[in-house]
Amino acid sequence: QPKAAAVSAGVETMSDSKDFEVDMRKRGEPMFADSTQEFILQLNKAIMHKNIYDIQTLYEHDFERQTTKFYKTTPWPSVGAIEQLVGKDENFLILYQQLYYRHLYGRKPAVGLENQLLSYQNYLDLFNIILGLRTEAPEFEIPGVWLWDIIDEFVYQFSAFHAFRSKVQARESPESTKEDRDLLAQRPHAWSAQTVVVFLKYLAKKGKIPHAGEAGKPHILFETLSVYASIGMLRVNCIMGDYTGGIENLRDIDVLGKHEQVMVPAAHASLHYHLAFAYLMTRRYAECVKCAVDGLTYLSRNKALIPRTYQQNNINKMQEQMFGILALATSLVPQRLEESLASGVQDRFASQMQQMRKMDVDAYRQIFEAVCPKFIPMCMEPAGNNPPEDPLDLQLAVFLDEVRAIFRVPDIYSYLKMCTAINVDRLTSFLGEKDGSLARKLLYLKHKTQSGSLYTENKKKAEKRPEGVPQPRSKEASSSEMQFVVSEEMVHVTEKRQVKQHADFFIREIMRYEYIVADVDNFRRISYF
């Protein structure tokens, strides 16, 4: 009993280490390094004592260090192997398995179906444990960066499973084996969208601040997890093509208000990227631009906070995708951007921007395919003998239909922008329209430049409403800087004038000249020696 207590408390003795090695050889398990054993014991001890600082240090730094040194090409020790070290600690073993399968997904381009199903079951067990914790004083705690990685990896594995499933059912890849098809037939509800969404909703609800008369405020663990689960639901809705549902899910959680400060950089990037893409697909171009600009501004100002882990590549990719979303939104409905963002878009998509000005559909297609998330097929089984249609083609067709419909807007916009008032007959002659058709075109322009302002409303402080009373619908606002009204035979135009911001320009020029001076000093020093 003293020996078992020492091991469960994370204290390893010499006799324990020898007994562990003998037991591993009997079980046929591969041995792993002493530093890995020490890491596992320290992580177990930190979780048992709710030492958040030690957990975060071990998770962010030591786990990556051990992986780089020992497990670049091999998986981490199985849960059966480490069970000999930590005992029957169910909570820790499930958390360790989450790390094990995450590393497995990151190491191999294609994970076997059996491991995908085992990871799915482990996530269900983990979420059931979290949902069963006390709301005000949970039995164990984990840092926010690990919480986000859990939600992020859960949604990623959900997407990867459905991509794998579609290939197996279509028999288009080497992974399409009879064993896999039989196993999929036995587990038809594995990684189902309904189960994924339900668990994310329960996790989001767990951290809601209670109404008057209910129990006390939930622990910060659940508040943070609630925000991350809401972002996870937004991502699930986006890859399934339900953009309106994803935006509506954010109404119940103030992810853009006070909870914005607790989010890790990867959560910030995911939120702004998926929300901006959802606004783009729902024709809310003004809100799309605002959301993408906020996301890019945050990432540019907080580069030092981005950890050098596997999430760094994901953040950089979403940053590039948000620049592409800005290129699409501003080409469909022209809007002014800050000089740094406008130059960033121009540097990345100069040729496509020039083609989009000429109404080239292929340019829109190229950027859309580069910035869109990885969609999953909505149909679980192919219809008859026909393979399921590619979800990317479906979403691209919807977007290009909107692009073709809006092609006429820039012509009208360019003429109206040149004047403050113009006669209807003269504008008709400029556009080459038939008599009576201009009114329809102007209404069309008005319609295409209107969008909801939900994002702006969520940025404000949430109003306290009685339970069961829904949040008011978003107001319609113009997404264009130009507004016009038709009065009798005249079209009156007003344009929003933005005050030029000179501070950013001078800061960039000062930094540029400082670099030039530093280079000249270095050149002089080298020439002198």
PDB file of all heavy atoms in Angstrom, residues 53-70:
ATOM      1  N   TYR A  53      -0.198  26.209 -13.208  1.00  0.00           N
ATOM      2  CA  TYR A  53       1.064  26.708 -13.776  1.00  0.00           C
ATOM      3  C   TYR A  53       1.947  25.537 -14.210  1.00  0.00           C
ATOM      4  O   TYR A  53       2.493  25.543 -15.329  1.00  0.00           O
ATOM      5  CB  TYR A  53       1.795  27.579 -12.756  1.00  0.00           C
ATOM      6  CG  TYR A  53       3.129  28.087 -13.251  1.00  0.00           C
ATOM      7  CD1 TYR A  53       3.203  29.166 -14.123  1.00  0.00           C
ATOM      8  CD2 TYR A  53       4.320  27.469 -12.850  1.00  0.00           C
ATOM      9  CE1 TYR A  53       4.426  29.628 -14.588  1.00  0.00           C
ATOM     10  CE2 TYR A  53       5.541  27.917 -13.315  1.00  0.00           C
ATOM     11  CZ  TYR A  53       5.591  29.002 -14.178  1.00  0.00           C
ATOM     12  OH  TYR A  53       6.801  29.436 -14.651  1.00  0.00           O
ATOM     13  N   ASP A  54       2.093  24.528 -13.352  1.00  0.00           N
ATOM     14  CA  ASP A  54       2.922  23.373 -13.710  1.00  0.00           C
ATOM     15  C   ASP A  54       2.306  22.586 -14.864  1.00  0.00           C
ATOM     16  O   ASP A  54       3.025  22.096 -15.746  1.00  0.00           O
ATOM     17  CB  ASP A  54       3.104  22.458 -12.499  1.00  0.00           C
ATOM     18  CG  ASP A  54       4.044  23.056 -11.470  1.00  0.00           C
ATOM     19  OD1 ASP A  54       4.688  24.080 -11.785  1.00  0.00           O
ATOM     20  OD2 ASP A  54       4.110  22.527 -10.336  1.00  0.00           O
ATOM     21  N   ILE A  55       0.980  22.454 -14.864  1.00  0.00           N
ATOM     22  CA  ILE A  55       0.316  21.725 -15.959  1.00  0.00           C
ATOM     23  C   ILE A  55       0.590  22.418 -17.293  1.00  0.00           C
ATOM     24  O   ILE A  55       0.916  21.765 -18.295  1.00  0.00           O
ATOM     25  CB  ILE A  55      -1.205  21.632 -15.703  1.00  0.00           C
ATOM     26  CG1 ILE A  55      -1.493  20.821 -14.446  1.00  0.00           C
ATOM     27  CG2 ILE A  55      -1.909  20.980 -16.899  1.00  0.00           C
ATOM     28  CD1 ILE A  55      -2.959  20.823 -14.038  1.00  0.00           C
ATOM     29  N   GLN A  56       0.448  23.746 -17.315  1.00  0.00           N
ATOM     30  CA  GLN A  56       0.658  24.469 -18.562  1.00  0.00           C
ATOM     31  C   GLN A  56       2.106  24.371 -19.028  1.00  0.00           C
ATOM     32  O   GLN A  56       2.375  24.216 -20.222  1.00  0.00           O
ATOM     33  CB  GLN A  56       0.261  25.937 -18.389  1.00  0.00           C
ATOM     34  CG  GLN A  56       0.361  26.748 -19.673  1.00  0.00           C
ATOM     35  CD  GLN A  56      -0.413  28.041 -19.594  1.00  0.00           C
ATOM     36  OE1 GLN A  56      -1.208  28.247 -18.691  1.00  0.00           O
ATOM     37  NE2 GLN A  56      -0.176  28.922 -20.561  1.00  0.00           N
ATOM     38  N   THR A  57       3.052  24.454 -18.089  1.00  0.00           N
ATOM     39  CA  THR A  57       4.463  24.335 -18.464  1.00  0.00           C
ATOM     40  C   THR A  57       4.766  22.954 -19.025  1.00  0.00           C
ATOM     41  O   THR A  57       5.444  22.816 -20.059  1.00  0.00           O
ATOM     42  CB  THR A  57       5.355  24.612 -17.240  1.00  0.00           C
ATOM     43  OG1 THR A  57       5.072  25.923 -16.742  1.00  0.00           O
ATOM     44  CG2 THR A  57       6.823  24.512 -17.606  1.00  0.00           C
ATOM     45  N   LEU A  58       4.277  21.921 -18.362  1.00  0.00           N
ATOM     46  CA  LEU A  58       4.500  20.556 -18.837  1.00  0.00           C
ATOM     47  C   LEU A  58       3.827  20.313 -20.180  1.00  0.00           C
ATOM     48  O   LEU A  58       4.395  19.663 -21.064  1.00  0.00           O
ATOM     49  CB  LEU A  58       3.976  19.559 -17.803  1.00  0.00           C
ATOM     50  CG  LEU A  58       4.749  19.474 -16.491  1.00  0.00           C
ATOM     51  CD1 LEU A  58       3.942  18.733 -15.431  1.00  0.00           C
ATOM     52  CD2 LEU A  58       6.089  18.777 -16.705  1.00  0.00           C
ATOM     53  N   TYR A  59       2.619  20.853 -20.328  1.00  0.00           N
ATOM     54  CA  TYR A  59       1.860  20.607 -21.558  1.00  0.00           C
ATOM     55  C   TYR A  59       2.463  21.362 -22.747  1.00  0.00           C
ATOM     56  O   TYR A  59       2.643  20.786 -23.830  1.00  0.00           O
ATOM     57  CB  TYR A  59       0.404  21.035 -21.358  1.00  0.00           C
ATOM     58  CG  TYR A  59      -0.423  20.958 -22.616  1.00  0.00           C
ATOM     59  CD1 TYR A  59      -0.887  19.732 -23.087  1.00  0.00           C
ATOM     60  CD2 TYR A  59      -0.732  22.103 -23.338  1.00  0.00           C
ATOM     61  CE1 TYR A  59      -1.633  19.662 -24.256  1.00  0.00           C
ATOM     62  CE2 TYR A  59      -1.480  22.045 -24.497  1.00  0.00           C
ATOM     63  CZ  TYR A  59      -1.929  20.817 -24.947  1.00  0.00           C
ATOM     64  OH  TYR A  59      -2.668  20.743 -26.105  1.00  0.00           O
ATOM     65  N   GLU A  60       2.758  22.653 -22.560  1.00  0.00           N
ATOM     66  CA  GLU A  60       3.215  23.476 -23.677  1.00  0.00           C
ATOM     67  C   GLU A  60       4.673  23.225 -24.048  1.00  0.00           C
ATOM     68  O   GLU A  60       5.029  23.277 -25.234  1.00  0.00           O
ATOM     69  CB  GLU A  60       3.033  24.962 -23.352  1.00  0.00           C
ATOM     70  CG  GLU A  60       1.616  25.459 -23.487  1.00  0.00           C
ATOM     71  CD  GLU A  60       1.548  26.967 -23.501  1.00  0.00           C
ATOM     72  OE1 GLU A  60       1.867  27.588 -22.473  1.00  0.00           O
ATOM     73  OE2 GLU A  60       1.174  27.528 -24.546  1.00  0.00           O
ATOM     74  N   HIS A  61       5.521  22.952 -23.065  1.00  0.00           N
ATOM     75  CA  HIS A  61       6.957  22.878 -23.329  1.00  0.00           C
ATOM     76  C   HIS A  61       7.497  21.454 -23.231  1.00  0.00           C
ATOM     77  O   HIS A  61       8.100  20.948 -24.181  1.00  0.00           O
ATOM     78  CB  HIS A  61       7.713  23.792 -22.355  1.00  0.00           C
ATOM     79  CG  HIS A  61       7.256  25.218 -22.422  1.00  0.00           C
ATOM     80  ND1 HIS A  61       7.486  26.022 -23.515  1.00  0.00           N
ATOM     81  CD2 HIS A  61       6.565  25.985 -21.534  1.00  0.00           C
ATOM     82  CE1 HIS A  61       6.968  27.221 -23.311  1.00  0.00           C
ATOM     83  NE2 HIS A  61       6.403  27.231 -22.120  1.00  0.00           N
ATOM     84  N   ASP A  62       7.263  20.788 -22.100  1.00  0.00           N
ATOM     85  CA  ASP A  62       7.855  19.461 -21.911  1.00  0.00           C
ATOM     86  C   ASP A  62       7.272  18.420 -22.865  1.00  0.00           C
ATOM     87  O   ASP A  62       8.006  17.560 -23.377  1.00  0.00           O
ATOM     88  CB  ASP A  62       7.654  18.997 -20.459  1.00  0.00           C
ATOM     89  CG  ASP A  62       8.482  19.822 -19.481  1.00  0.00           C
ATOM     90  OD1 ASP A  62       8.722  20.994 -19.788  1.00  0.00           O
ATOM     91  OD2 ASP A  62       8.872  19.296 -18.433  1.00  0.00           O
ATOM     92  N   PHE A  63       5.972  18.478 -23.116  1.00  0.00           N
ATOM     93  CA  PHE A  63       5.374  17.512 -24.032  1.00  0.00           C
ATOM     94  C   PHE A  63       5.949  17.670 -25.445  1.00  0.00           C
ATOM     95  O   PHE A  63       6.283  16.680 -26.104  1.00  0.00           O
ATOM     96  CB  PHE A  63       3.851  17.695 -24.062  1.00  0.00           C
ATOM     97  CG  PHE A  63       3.152  16.757 -24.998  1.00  0.00           C
ATOM     98  CD1 PHE A  63       3.004  15.419 -24.694  1.00  0.00           C
ATOM     99  CD2 PHE A  63       2.642  17.218 -26.215  1.00  0.00           C
ATOM    100  CE1 PHE A  63       2.368  14.548 -25.567  1.00  0.00           C
ATOM    101  CE2 PHE A  63       1.990  16.364 -27.088  1.00  0.00           C
ATOM    102  CZ  PHE A  63       1.853  15.028 -26.763  1.00  0.00           C
ATOM    103  N   GLU A  64       6.085  18.907 -25.895  1.00  0.00           N
ATOM    104  CA  GLU A  64       6.670  19.147 -27.219  1.00  0.00           C
ATOM    105  C   GLU A  64       8.137  18.728 -27.248  1.00  0.00           C
ATOM    106  O   GLU A  64       8.620  18.181 -28.251  1.00  0.00           O
ATOM    107  CB  GLU A  64       6.540  20.626 -27.590  1.00  0.00           C
ATOM    108  CG  GLU A  64       5.112  21.106 -27.778  1.00  0.00           C
ATOM    109  CD  GLU A  64       4.447  20.452 -28.968  1.00  0.00           C
ATOM    110  OE1 GLU A  64       5.161  20.092 -29.930  1.00  0.00           O
ATOM    111  OE2 GLU A  64       3.214  20.287 -28.939  1.00  0.00           O
ATOM    112  N   ARG A  65       8.849  18.973 -26.142  1.00  0.00           N
ATOM    113  CA  ARG A  65      10.265  18.607 -26.086  1.00  0.00           C
ATOM    114  C   ARG A  65      10.435  17.086 -26.142  1.00  0.00           C
ATOM    115  O   ARG A  65      11.304  16.572 -26.870  1.00  0.00           O
ATOM    116  CB  ARG A  65      10.881  19.173 -24.804  1.00  0.00           C
ATOM    117  CG  ARG A  65      12.390  19.120 -24.770  1.00  0.00           C
ATOM    118  CD  ARG A  65      12.942  19.734 -23.497  1.00  0.00           C
ATOM    119  NE  ARG A  65      12.582  21.129 -23.375  1.00  0.00           N
ATOM    120  CZ  ARG A  65      11.795  21.620 -22.424  1.00  0.00           C
ATOM    121  NH1 ARG A  65      11.284  20.795 -21.499  1.00  0.00           N
ATOM    122  NH2 ARG A  65      11.511  22.903 -22.369  1.00  0.00           N
ATOM    123  N   GLN A  66       9.608  16.362 -25.392  1.00  0.00           N
ATOM    124  CA  GLN A  66       9.676  14.897 -25.425  1.00  0.00           C
ATOM    125  C   GLN A  66       9.298  14.354 -26.802  1.00  0.00           C
ATOM    126  O   GLN A  66       9.906  13.410 -27.301  1.00  0.00           O
ATOM    127  CB  GLN A  66       8.735  14.321 -24.358  1.00  0.00           C
ATOM    128  CG  GLN A  66       9.170  14.551 -22.928  1.00  0.00           C
ATOM    129  CD  GLN A  66      10.407  13.747 -22.567  1.00  0.00           C
ATOM    130  OE1 GLN A  66      10.520  12.579 -22.925  1.00  0.00           O
ATOM    131  NE2 GLN A  66      11.341  14.375 -21.871  1.00  0.00           N
ATOM    132  N   THR A  67       8.287  14.961 -27.408  1.00  0.00           N
ATOM    133  CA  THR A  67       7.857  14.502 -28.732  1.00  0.00           C
ATOM    134  C   THR A  67       8.960  14.694 -29.753  1.00  0.00           C
ATOM    135  O   THR A  67       9.239  13.807 -30.572  1.00  0.00           O
ATOM    136  CB  THR A  67       6.598  15.272 -29.167  1.00  0.00           C
ATOM    137  OG1 THR A  67       5.544  15.025 -28.234  1.00  0.00           O
ATOM    138  CG2 THR A  67       6.144  14.841 -30.547  1.00  0.00           C
ATOM    139  N   THR A  68       9.597  15.864 -29.735  1.00  0.00           N
ATOM    140  CA  THR A  68      10.660  16.140 -30.701  1.00  0.00           C
ATOM    141  C   THR A  68      11.853  15.217 -30.508  1.00  0.00           C
ATOM    142  O   THR A  68      12.481  14.786 -31.485  1.00  0.00           O
ATOM    143  CB  THR A  68      11.111  17.606 -30.569  1.00  0.00           C
ATOM    144  OG1 THR A  68       9.989  18.467 -30.754  1.00  0.00           O
ATOM    145  CG2 THR A  68      12.178  17.939 -31.590  1.00  0.00           C
ATOM    146  N   LYS A  69      12.139  14.872 -29.267  1.00  0.00           N
ATOM    147  CA  LYS A  69      13.339  14.088 -28.977  1.00  0.00           C
ATOM    148  C   LYS A  69      13.136  12.592 -29.190  1.00  0.00           C
ATOM    149  O   LYS A  69      14.040  11.913 -29.702  1.00  0.00           O
ATOM    150  CB  LYS A  69      13.769  14.348 -27.521  1.00  0.00           C
ATOM    151  CG  LYS A  69      15.122  13.766 -27.163  1.00  0.00           C
ATOM    152  CD  LYS A  69      15.542  14.202 -25.765  1.00  0.00           C
ATOM    153  CE  LYS A  69      16.919  13.670 -25.417  1.00  0.00           C
ATOM    154  NZ  LYS A  69      17.351  14.087 -24.055  1.00  0.00           N
ATOM    155  N   PHE A  70      11.961  12.068 -28.837  1.00  0.00           N
ATOM    156  CA  PHE A  70      11.792  10.615 -28.834  1.00  0.00           C
ATOM    157  C   PHE A  70      10.683  10.101 -29.758  1.00  0.00           C
ATOM    158  O   PHE A  70      10.713   8.935 -30.150  1.00  0.00           O
ATOM    159  CB  PHE A  70      11.491  10.117 -27.407  1.00  0.00           C
ATOM    160  CG  PHE A  70      12.572  10.412 -26.411  1.00  0.00           C
ATOM    161  CD1 PHE A  70      12.376  11.363 -25.424  1.00  0.00           C
ATOM    162  CD2 PHE A  70      13.790   9.751 -26.463  1.00  0.00           C
ATOM    163  CE1 PHE A  70      13.367  11.640 -24.491  1.00  0.00           C
ATOM    164  CE2 PHE A  70      14.789  10.022 -25.541  1.00  0.00           C
ATOM    165  CZ  PHE A  70      14.582  10.975 -24.555  1.00  0.00           C
TER     166      PHE A  70
END
